[in-house]
Amino acid sequence: MALRRILRIDDAVDKKTLKLVCRPVKLPDRTMRQLVADMFETMNEANGIGLAAPQIGLPIQLCVIEIPPEIEELDDGTEVEVAPAEQYVFFNPKIVKTSGDEVMRDEGCLSLPGWYGYVARNSWVTVEYQDISGKFRRMRKADGLLGWAIQHELDHLNGVLYTERIRDLATFRDITKEREESAAPA
Ligand code: ZN
Protein backbone atom coordinates (compact mmCIF):
# COMPACT_ATOMS: atom_id res chain seq x y z
CA MET A 1 0.00 0.00 0.00
CA ALA A 2 1.07 3.54 -0.49
CA LEU A 3 0.10 6.95 0.77
CA ARG A 4 -0.91 9.40 -1.94
CA ARG A 5 -0.56 13.17 -1.84
CA ILE A 6 -3.89 14.93 -1.24
CA LEU A 7 -4.47 17.87 -3.58
CA ARG A 8 -5.38 21.23 -2.06
CA ILE A 9 -8.18 23.63 -2.86
CA ASP A 10 -5.91 26.58 -2.05
CA ASP A 11 -3.24 25.52 -4.57
CA ALA A 12 -3.86 26.91 -8.06
CA VAL A 13 -2.46 23.88 -9.93
CA ASP A 14 -4.18 21.32 -7.66
CA LYS A 15 -7.46 23.18 -7.95
CA LYS A 16 -7.53 22.73 -11.73
CA THR A 17 -7.66 18.96 -11.20
CA LEU A 18 -10.20 19.27 -8.36
CA LYS A 19 -12.50 21.24 -10.69
CA LEU A 20 -12.60 18.56 -13.41
CA VAL A 21 -15.74 16.54 -14.06
CA CYS A 22 -14.50 12.98 -13.53
CA ARG A 23 -14.76 10.28 -16.15
CA PRO A 24 -16.51 6.95 -15.50
CA VAL A 25 -14.46 3.86 -14.60
CA LYS A 26 -14.80 0.82 -16.85
CA LEU A 27 -15.13 -2.26 -14.64
CA PRO A 28 -13.76 -4.69 -13.78
CA ASP A 29 -10.29 -3.15 -13.74
CA ARG A 30 -7.42 -5.07 -12.11
CA THR A 31 -5.63 -1.89 -11.03
CA MET A 32 -8.54 -0.72 -8.87
CA ARG A 33 -7.97 -2.93 -5.82
CA GLN A 34 -4.59 -1.34 -5.12
CA LEU A 35 -5.94 2.13 -5.77
CA VAL A 36 -8.86 1.62 -3.37
CA ALA A 37 -6.46 0.30 -0.69
CA ASP A 38 -4.23 3.36 -1.18
CA MET A 39 -7.23 5.67 -0.88
CA PHE A 40 -8.36 4.13 2.42
CA GLU A 41 -4.79 4.32 3.74
CA THR A 42 -4.41 7.96 2.66
CA MET A 43 -7.82 8.90 4.10
CA ASN A 44 -7.15 7.19 7.45
CA GLU A 45 -3.71 8.76 7.74
CA ALA A 46 -5.36 12.18 7.30
CA ASN A 47 -8.15 11.30 9.80
CA GLY A 48 -10.88 11.80 7.21
CA ILE A 49 -14.15 9.93 6.64
CA GLY A 50 -14.24 10.25 2.86
CA LEU A 51 -11.89 10.65 -0.10
CA ALA A 52 -12.59 11.05 -3.81
CA ALA A 53 -10.13 9.97 -6.53
CA PRO A 54 -9.68 13.53 -7.89
CA GLN A 55 -8.36 14.50 -4.45
CA ILE A 56 -5.32 12.34 -5.16
CA GLY A 57 -5.03 13.63 -8.72
CA LEU A 58 -7.10 11.02 -10.57
CA PRO A 59 -10.17 12.48 -12.28
CA ILE A 60 -12.16 9.22 -12.27
CA GLN A 61 -15.54 8.41 -10.71
CA LEU A 62 -14.41 6.63 -7.57
CA CYS A 63 -14.74 7.56 -3.92
CA VAL A 64 -14.33 5.80 -0.58
CA ILE A 65 -16.03 6.47 2.75
CA GLU A 66 -15.31 5.10 6.20
CA ILE A 67 -17.75 5.74 9.04
CA PRO A 68 -15.89 5.46 12.38
CA PRO A 69 -16.87 2.79 14.91
CA GLU A 70 -19.46 3.66 17.55
CA ILE A 71 -17.88 3.77 20.98
CA GLU A 72 -19.84 3.77 24.25
CA GLU A 73 -18.46 4.41 27.67
CA LEU A 74 -19.55 2.06 30.45
CA ASP A 75 -20.24 3.15 34.05
CA ASP A 76 -16.75 2.08 35.10
CA GLY A 77 -15.20 4.29 32.43
CA THR A 78 -14.12 1.54 30.04
CA GLU A 79 -14.99 2.06 26.38
CA VAL A 80 -16.66 -0.60 24.25
CA GLU A 81 -17.16 -0.67 20.50
CA VAL A 82 -20.92 -1.08 19.95
CA ALA A 83 -20.75 -0.86 16.16
CA PRO A 84 -17.71 -1.52 13.95
CA ALA A 85 -16.28 0.91 11.37
CA GLU A 86 -18.10 0.72 8.04
CA GLN A 87 -16.20 0.98 4.76
CA TYR A 88 -17.86 1.90 1.45
CA VAL A 89 -16.47 2.00 -2.08
CA PHE A 90 -18.48 3.71 -4.82
CA PHE A 91 -17.67 3.49 -8.53
CA ASN A 92 -19.63 5.64 -10.99
CA PRO A 93 -22.12 6.72 -8.31
CA LYS A 94 -25.25 8.74 -9.03
CA ILE A 95 -27.74 10.21 -6.62
CA VAL A 96 -31.14 9.07 -7.92
CA LYS A 97 -33.40 10.32 -5.14
CA THR A 98 -33.11 12.91 -2.39
CA SER A 99 -35.12 13.84 0.69
CA GLY A 100 -35.55 17.31 -0.79
CA ASP A 101 -35.09 19.03 2.56
CA GLU A 102 -32.05 20.87 3.87
CA VAL A 103 -29.91 20.15 6.89
CA MET A 104 -27.07 22.51 7.69
CA ARG A 105 -23.79 20.72 8.37
CA ASP A 106 -20.49 22.05 9.55
CA GLU A 107 -18.40 20.60 6.76
CA GLY A 108 -14.68 20.15 6.20
CA CYS A 109 -12.56 18.67 3.41
CA LEU A 110 -9.21 16.84 3.34
CA SER A 111 -8.25 19.17 0.50
CA LEU A 112 -8.43 22.17 2.85
CA PRO A 113 -7.15 20.99 6.25
CA GLY A 114 -8.40 22.91 9.27
CA TRP A 115 -11.14 24.84 7.47
CA TYR A 116 -14.87 24.34 8.02
CA GLY A 117 -18.07 26.03 6.90
CA TYR A 118 -21.84 25.49 6.97
CA VAL A 119 -23.28 23.70 3.95
CA ALA A 120 -26.93 22.73 3.30
CA ARG A 121 -27.41 19.05 2.40
CA ASN A 122 -30.29 16.66 1.95
CA SER A 123 -31.03 14.65 5.09
CA TRP A 124 -30.91 11.47 2.97
CA VAL A 125 -30.01 10.37 -0.54
CA THR A 126 -30.51 7.18 -2.54
CA VAL A 127 -27.45 6.35 -4.61
CA GLU A 128 -26.83 3.95 -7.49
CA TYR A 129 -23.28 2.83 -8.12
CA GLN A 130 -21.08 -0.08 -9.16
CA ASP A 131 -19.00 -2.17 -6.78
CA ILE A 132 -15.40 -3.07 -7.57
CA SER A 133 -16.48 -6.13 -9.60
CA GLY A 134 -18.68 -3.90 -11.76
CA LYS A 135 -21.97 -5.09 -10.25
CA PHE A 136 -24.69 -2.41 -10.15
CA ARG A 137 -25.99 -1.65 -6.69
CA ARG A 138 -28.41 0.71 -5.00
CA MET A 139 -28.19 2.14 -1.50
CA ARG A 140 -31.53 3.46 -0.28
CA LYS A 141 -31.97 6.51 1.93
CA ALA A 142 -28.42 6.84 3.21
CA ASP A 143 -28.62 9.36 6.04
CA GLY A 144 -26.61 10.80 8.91
CA LEU A 145 -22.85 10.93 8.49
CA LEU A 146 -22.95 8.48 5.56
CA GLY A 147 -25.57 10.46 3.66
CA TRP A 148 -23.65 13.67 4.14
CA ALA A 149 -20.32 12.09 3.11
CA ILE A 150 -21.91 10.65 -0.06
CA GLN A 151 -23.14 14.10 -1.07
CA HIS A 152 -19.73 15.67 -0.36
CA GLU A 153 -17.79 12.99 -2.29
CA LEU A 154 -20.15 12.95 -5.27
CA ASP A 155 -19.71 16.70 -5.51
CA HIS A 156 -15.96 16.06 -5.85
CA LEU A 157 -16.61 13.70 -8.77
CA ASN A 158 -18.45 16.55 -10.50
CA GLY A 159 -15.74 19.12 -9.79
CA VAL A 160 -17.82 20.85 -7.10
CA LEU A 161 -16.07 21.94 -3.89
CA TYR A 162 -17.85 22.40 -0.58
CA THR A 163 -16.43 25.92 -0.35
CA GLU A 164 -18.64 26.83 -3.33
CA ARG A 165 -21.73 25.69 -1.40
CA ILE A 166 -21.14 27.83 1.68
CA ARG A 167 -23.84 30.49 1.59
CA ASP A 168 -22.86 32.36 4.74
CA LEU A 169 -19.14 33.02 4.47
CA ALA A 170 -19.15 34.12 8.13
CA THR A 171 -19.35 30.37 8.97
CA PHE A 172 -16.18 29.65 6.96
CA ARG A 173 -13.24 29.57 9.37
CA ASP A 174 -10.05 27.81 10.40
CA ILE A 175 -11.03 25.63 13.37
CA THR A 176 -7.44 25.02 14.40
CA LYS A 177 -7.82 28.50 15.88
CA GLU A 178 -10.94 27.46 17.84
CA ARG A 179 -11.43 25.18 20.79
CA GLU A 180 -14.65 23.45 19.73
CA GLU A 181 -14.50 20.09 17.98
CA SER A 182 -16.03 19.51 14.57
CA ALA A 183 -16.77 16.42 12.54
CA ALA A 184 -14.00 14.68 10.60
CA PRO A 185 -13.24 16.12 7.16
CA ALA A 186 -13.87 14.39 3.85
ZN1 ZN B 1 -13.68 16.94 0.23
Side-chain angles (χ1 to χ4, degrees), residues 5-182:
R5 183 178 78 85
I6 299 177
L7 274 53
R8 294 186 61 117
I9 292 172
D10 56 357
D11 178 280
V13 176
D14 284 359
K15 194 174 179 183
K16 277 188 190 162
T17 300
L18 291 170
K19 288 300 297 168
L20 294 172
V21 174
C22 296
R23 63 176 183 272
V25 182
K26 237 181 158 181
L27 295 163
D29 178 331
R30 291 177 60 189
T31 65
M32 287 300 146
R33 236 165 248 290
Q34 183 64 55
L35 175 59
V36 166
D38 287 356
M39 286 176 68
F40 274 112
E41 189 182 5
T42 303
M43 179 184 73
N44 288 329
E45 166 79 13
N47 293 315
I49 61 157
L51 186 69
Q55 289 181 279
I56 55 164
L58 298 170
I60 61 171
Q61 288 185 30
L62 161 63
C63 60
V64 301
I65 292 171
E66 183 169 324
I67 304 300
E70 237 177 88
I71 308 286
E72 268 179 22
E73 197 179 312
L74 301 179
D75 289 341
D76 66 2
T78 56
E79 290 184 336
V80 285
E81 190 178 291
V82 291
E86 294 167 15
Q87 289 192 335
Y88 301 92
V89 180
F90 297 100
F91 284 95
N92 308 322
K94 283 182 187 68
I95 289 172
V96 295
K97 205 171 176 188
T98 68
S99 57
D101 57 355
E102 283 187 342
V103 180
M104 295 303 282
R105 298 219 48 146
D106 195 13
E107 206 161 301
C109 180
L110 291 179
S111 291
L112 200 60
W115 286 81
Y116 281 78
Y118 282 83
V119 177
R121 299 289 188 185
N122 286 280
S123 58
W124 60 259
V125 293
T126 291
V127 59
E128 286 180 354
Y129 63 100
Q130 282 172 276
D131 66 19
I132 199 161
S133 68
K135 190 175 174 199
F136 286 89
R137 295 181 175 275
R138 170 179 281 230
M139 181 183 284
R140 285 176 210 278
K141 295 192 175 181
D143 61 2
L145 196 52
L146 177 61
W148 160 71
I150 288 171
Q151 292 171 77
H152 181 103
E153 300 314 327
L154 265 65
D155 266 357
H156 273 301
L157 302 185
N158 290 305
V160 177
L161 303 170
Y162 86 106
T163 46
E164 297 160 8
R165 289 197 183 273
I166 299 171
R167 291 181 203 150
D168 179 2
L169 283 175
T171 68
F172 185 48
R173 76 270 180 227
D174 182 354
I175 63 148
T176 58
K177 291 172 183 148
E178 295 178 5
R179 280 194 188 161
E180 69 173 87
E181 282 206 7
S182 288

